[in-house]
Amino acid sequence: MSDDAPSNGGFAFRSQVRAGGERVLAFLTREYRHSDGATWAARLAAGEVEVRGVAARGDEVLRAGDVVVWHRPPWREEAAPLDYAVLLEDDALVAVSKPSGLPTLPGAGFLTHTLLTQVRLRYPGASPLHRLGRGTSGAVLFARTGSAGAALSRAWRDHEVGKVYRALGAGVPEWDTLDIRTPIGPVPHPRLGTVFAASADGKASRSVAHVRESREDRTLFDVEIHTGRPHQIRIHLAAAGHPLVGDPLYGPGGLPLPGLPGLPGDLGYRLHAWTLHFRHPVTGEAVRVEAPPPPDLR
């Protein structure tokens, strides 16, 4: 494959109109803010947008319930590691170890270069029960049947799934175990609009960090998470004074660093989803899935 050859077959993005009265071009510009009006006008002229089964010009007035379809042509995705290790496999479940750098789900320009697409090439119809950030490596659990997915989704909501992460944080704490309950919510960001961070008005959050090993000016932590807020471990360890080594966004206090050193998708931080504990949805047996950490997190 040449360097500029498409890595996918294109994709149809669908958006449903909630309130009518807006013209197609205005709707697209507002709905997909990654592109300006001139770019959307060019896509409309190329016949990439469809409304009510026909190509849209852009000046049509939308009705509530309409579905606007953007047929994005094939594109070249950013490179990402596509290999993953199978940790558990049966008729109901599959658990894999995701490499750092591979998105779990499509988005932000990624489609085939995602864990979901790669797993489904081998296990058609498998559905992820949770997700990891692109820079986070480790265990991801997929359901292979609807009943298994429903049972484990209930277990997740009822906090019956145990999750332990391995993280490398800056500095050496004076404590061995810390119960971190810093609330997490959206805070203003000068470039992104908002990001999730430590916020007194945020949602209740809980992580329990255990010191596994001290290394001069850094510490290896095992972190149990009891809630699933966005970027929770990165924010909580930063709030505790030990931001992840290489984290481009979160600093002491669990707030975004000044000077816009990086975005949430940057991959420099060291975080690994080490173990998952749950009851098998079919047999009821206790299951422990372990993804071996990379060398610097062992």
Side-chain angles (χ1 to χ4, degrees):
M1 181 182 292
S2 66
D3 290 343
D4 58 352
S7 51
N8 59 57
F11 190 75
F13 294 87
R14 291 175 167 83
S15 296
Q16 188 166 32
V17 179
R18 295 185 178 181
E22 192 172 25
R23 296 186 185 276
V24 172
L25 177 58
F27 174 86
L28 289 166
T29 305
R30 178 180 55 78
E31 184 77 2
Y32 299 100
R33 298 186 181 182
H34 52 69
S35 301
D36 60 18
T39 302
W40 280 116
R43 290 170 178 157
L44 285 157
E48 296 179 11
V49 180
E50 172 188 323
V51 179
R52 299 171 209 144
V54 299
R57 302 181 306 275
D59 59 351
E60 298 91 342
V61 177
L62 293 167
R63 300 190 294 256
D66 279 344
V67 176
V68 179
V69 184
W70 172 35
H71 295 278
R72 182 177 181 179
W75 72 92
R76 182 68 178 170
E77 300 173 41
E78 183 181 335
L82 302 181
D83 293 334
Y84 61 88
V86 177
L87 306 173
L88 175 152
E89 176 187 7
D90 62 26
D91 291 340
L93 303 173
V94 61
V96 305
S97 184
K98 182 185 85 68
S100 174
L102 179 65
T104 304
L105 303 176
F110 289 95
L111 180 60
T112 61
H113 292 181
T114 63
L115 183 65
L116 175 62
T117 297
Q118 297 305 312
V119 167
R120 282 183 172 174
L121 291 175
R122 183 170 177 180
Y123 305 97
S127 297
L129 293 159
H130 58 123
R131 62 179 296 177
L132 299 179
R134 184 183 171 195
T136 304
S137 58
V140 181
L141 186 62
F142 288 75
R144 299 184 66 187
T145 67
S147 58
L152 279 167
S153 293
R154 286 194 299 271
W156 231 286
R157 289 193 300 270
D158 295 339
H159 306 288
E160 295 173 354
V161 178
K163 302 173 287 294
V164 181
Y165 287 69
R166 184 69 58 80
L168 188 63
V172 178
E174 298 179 354
W175 43 266
D176 292 325
T177 297
L178 185 64
D179 192 332
I180 309 169
R181 299 188 181 237
T182 304
I184 294 174
V187 302
H189 189 286
R191 182 172 174 183
L192 300 176
T194 60
V195 296
F196 283 93
S199 170
D201 298 324
K203 292 184 177 180
S205 308
R206 185 186 180 208
S207 304
V208 180
H210 306 273
V211 173
R212 188 173 186 95
E213 178 182 286
S214 296
R215 303 175 177 176
E216 296 182 0
D217 61 345
R218 54 191 59 187
T219 300
L220 194 64
F221 295 97
D222 284 347
V223 185
E224 304 167 20
I225 62 170
H226 297 269
T227 54
R229 310 304 178 206
H231 311 303
Q232 178 170 316
I233 294 176
R234 296 170 65 186
I235 294 166
H236 273 182
L237 283 179
H242 302 282
L244 296 190
V245 171
D247 196 320
L249 185 64
Y250 295 106
L255 295 172
L257 291 164
L260 302 179
L263 304 180
D266 288 345
L267 311 179
Y269 58 88
R270 308 303 298 126
L271 182 62
H272 179 80
W274 179 35
T275 63
L276 289 170
H277 311 258
F278 56 91
R279 291 281 177 185
H280 195 283
V282 177
T283 67
E285 296 178 353
V287 177
R288 182 181 188 271
V289 172
E290 178 178 333
D296 62 340
L297 295 181
R298 294 175 187 166

